[in-house]
């Protein structure tokens, strides 16, 4: 009987400690003023399509003229495409095709990049938008930029250009002066100059390809999109024209590149056709991703 109170006291201490531990745990979880952080939502896409099967053969026949006339094995090789080297097919994949025809060579490539944000406060979509914005800026475009007043450097550059143009105009006017013509006897322009043709043998035109087919922001394609038109002289024997269409849909950024190089220097690629076909393919890919 002498030990009963001690046992009762020990039991009471055990119960009290247990209750105190629970109380501390609950108090820590419900500490006043502790912020509740909700992780940013994940992107819509968790995987990427097989790139070399993303473009139907019927579309490839249209984009790669001459491929359909090749023998069976060669035709299958062209339409099969060449997969890009990648080490994570869940994050980045690509495929390219090339067709050599007597009149020109056409090439096509597509790239899919699935963007994942490792910052719980930044969503996959926001991170993908940053990746897309960098590509847009690199192309010399910006859908969010607003033109501002020119700085002092721009003003000086503009004045310098105007001064040079004025000097060139004065010199040109002197060369066309009748007195100078009588003295030299050769004031008439050369045949190439009078016809408006270029000196490298390329047919002249009223406007440059950049003016006729400018790079620009595109509407109604994914969440954001732009087109970059790059007509340029690849070498001394042929023209080369590349069109790129880049768009973002949720956390995936897609790039379509379509190019033509004619066999002859006298032939100039139809940039408008390249643009239309590249845009049409980009819209098909966007529809496929949204399914």
């Amino acid at each position: 009987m002498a030990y009963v109170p001690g046992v009762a006291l020990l039991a009471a201490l055990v119960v009290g400690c247990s209750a105190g531990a629970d109380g501390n745990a609950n108090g820590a979880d419900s500490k006043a003023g502790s912020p509740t952080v909700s992780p940013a939502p994940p992107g819509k896409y968790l995987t990427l399509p097989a790139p070399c099967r993303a473009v139907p053969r019927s579309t490839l026949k249209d984009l790669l003229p001459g491929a359909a006339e090749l023998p069976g094995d060669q035709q299958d090789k062209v339409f099969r495409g060449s997969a890009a080297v990648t080490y994570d097919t869940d994050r980045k994949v690509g495929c390219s095709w090339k067709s050599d025809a007597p009149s020109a060579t056409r090439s096509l490539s597509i790239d899919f990049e699935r963007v994942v944000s490792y910052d719980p406060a930044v969503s996959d979509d926001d991170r993908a938008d940053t990746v897309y914005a960098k590509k847009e800026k690199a192309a010399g475009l910006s859908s969010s930029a607003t033109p501002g007043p020119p700085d002092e450097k721009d003003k000086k550059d503009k004045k310098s250009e105007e001064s040079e143009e004025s000097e060139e105009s004065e010199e040109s006017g002197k060369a066309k002066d009748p007195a100078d013509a009588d003295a030299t006897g050769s004031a008439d322009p050369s045949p190439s100059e009078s016809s408006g043709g270029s000196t490298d043998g390329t047919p002249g035109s009223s406007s440059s390809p950049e003016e006729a087919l400018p790079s620009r922001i595109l509407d109604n394609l994914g969440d954001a999109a732009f087109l970059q038109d790059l007509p340029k002289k690849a070498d001394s024997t042929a023209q080369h024209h590349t069109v790129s269409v880049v768009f973002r849909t949720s956390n995936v950024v897609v790039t379509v590149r379509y190019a033509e190089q004619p066999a002859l220097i006298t032939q100039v690629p139809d940039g408008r056709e390249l643009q239309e076909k590249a845009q049409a393919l980009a819209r098909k890919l966007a529809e496929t991703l949204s399914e």
Side-chain angles (χ1 to χ4, degrees), residues 18-47:
S18 177
D22 292 341
N24 291 337
N26 294 334
D29 290 342
S30 59
K31 186 179 295 182
S34 59
T36 301
V37 179
S38 299
K44 177 180 178 181
Y45 303 101
L46 302 178
T47 59

Side-chain angles (χ1 to χ4, degrees), residues 8 24 53 55 68 80 146 148-149 164 193 213 215 222 246 261 267:
N24 291 337
R53 294 200 297 268
V55 185
R80 190 181 306 122
T146 56
E164 292 177 359
E193 293 173 343
L213 300 164
S215 301
V246 181
Q261 181 168 327
Q267 296 177 326

Side-chain angles (χ1 to χ4, degrees), residues 177-200:
D177 188 89
D180 295 336
D182 292 339
T184 60
S186 59
D188 293 336
S190 63
S192 62
E193 293 173 343
S194 62
S195 63
S198 61
T199 57
D200 61 2

